[in-house]
Amino acid sequence: MTKRGLSERMQLALNAQIKAEFDSAYLYLALAAEMESRNLKGFAHWLRRQWEEELIHGLKLYDFLLQRDANVDLHALDKPKVDSTQSALEIFTQVLQHEQYITARIHELYALSQEEKDYASQTLLQWFVDEQVEEEDSAREIMENLRLVGGEGASLFLLDRELSQRPAVGADDE
């Protein structure tokens, strides 16, 4: 344990989650570029906002480690996998699957914090648990809307316009 009580296991796990959050950001930025190249600027806008959120999530963990007098160990990011042949529906299916993967990681971290009796980490991770419910719901809603509209024509155009309205991160807090 460090002098503030954060175990080595918890430090390693939280540092790995920082990487996962920044990998998520990198994935969403790559997907935003792909949607932009298709002239789906609303989808690109939504994904870019998601990129911002993931950066904030990574920094939240980073700051927490620093507050707990723990070591921050930044890892190299993975190159995002983007397939230019995927439909918008397939891309948002990928987004949902990625969010489900992150949710599973957060649940593992929460379980570790319980095992370690690390109540400060549990409090932080509860915020992430709640956030992941929203993240999955949002991705699922877009995926289901794409399934409904069939992913082409006027319906895709209208959904693209709707997604362009996503407010900046933190805008709802004002």
Side-chain angles (χ1 to χ4, degrees):
M1 293 247 185
T2 66
K3 60 187 171 190
R4 294 206 185 164
L6 194 59
S7 75
E8 188 67 29
R9 284 177 65 204
M10 203 68 209
Q11 284 183 66
L12 289 171
L14 289 171
N15 275 300
Q17 190 60 32
I18 290 171
K19 179 193 182 312
E21 297 294 340
F22 288 152
D23 277 337
S24 296
Y26 209 32
L27 171 64
Y28 293 137
L29 191 59
L31 292 172
E34 176 59 31
M35 293 306 234
E36 188 77 35
S37 75
R38 298 178 190 189
N39 202 30
L40 292 170
K41 295 183 183 304
F43 285 94
H45 171 81
W46 189 95
L47 287 159
R48 202 148 161 176
R49 291 291 192 234
Q50 196 62 26
W51 165 74
E52 291 171 346
E53 274 199 23
E54 301 307 333
L55 290 177
I56 290 168
H57 296 170
L59 289 172
K60 192 176 194 84
L61 294 165
Y62 171 94
D63 289 339
F64 180 77
L65 284 170
L66 292 175
Q67 288 173 338
R68 298 287 305 274
D69 197 29
N71 294 321
V72 172
D73 183 21
L74 299 179
H75 303 270
L77 299 180
D78 296 331
K79 181 177 174 147
K81 291 177 178 64
V82 177
D83 181 352
S84 62
T85 66
Q86 287 182 307
S87 67
L89 174 59
E90 290 168 325
I91 286 174
F92 273 86
T93 299
Q94 178 184 0
V95 168
L96 177 58
Q97 289 168 345
H98 183 77
E99 288 301 333
Q100 290 167 334
Y101 162 74
I102 294 297
T103 297
R105 290 185 59 90
I106 296 296
H107 290 174
E108 288 171 13
L109 276 170
Y110 192 88
L112 176 61
S113 71
Q114 289 179 314
E115 183 183 320
E116 298 278 328
K117 295 185 179 0
D118 183 346
Y119 304 113
S121 292
Q122 282 179 38
T123 300
L124 171 76
L125 292 167
Q126 184 60 56
W127 180 89
F128 279 91
V129 168
D130 296 341
E131 179 69 10
Q132 282 309 118
V133 170
E134 291 175 24
E135 300 278 340
E136 284 188 33
D137 182 54
S138 181
R140 186 178 295 105
E141 181 181 343
I142 295 167
M143 188 187 79
E144 292 302 328
N145 284 340
L146 281 164
R147 189 171 282 135
L148 268 172
V149 303
E152 352 182 312
S155 298
L156 182 63
F157 173 76
L158 291 174
L159 184 54
D160 187 61
R161 275 180 90 185
E162 180 183 325
L163 293 178
S164 72
Q165 303 305 309
R166 182 177 182 183
V169 176
D172 338 342
D173 302 334
E174 296 172 0

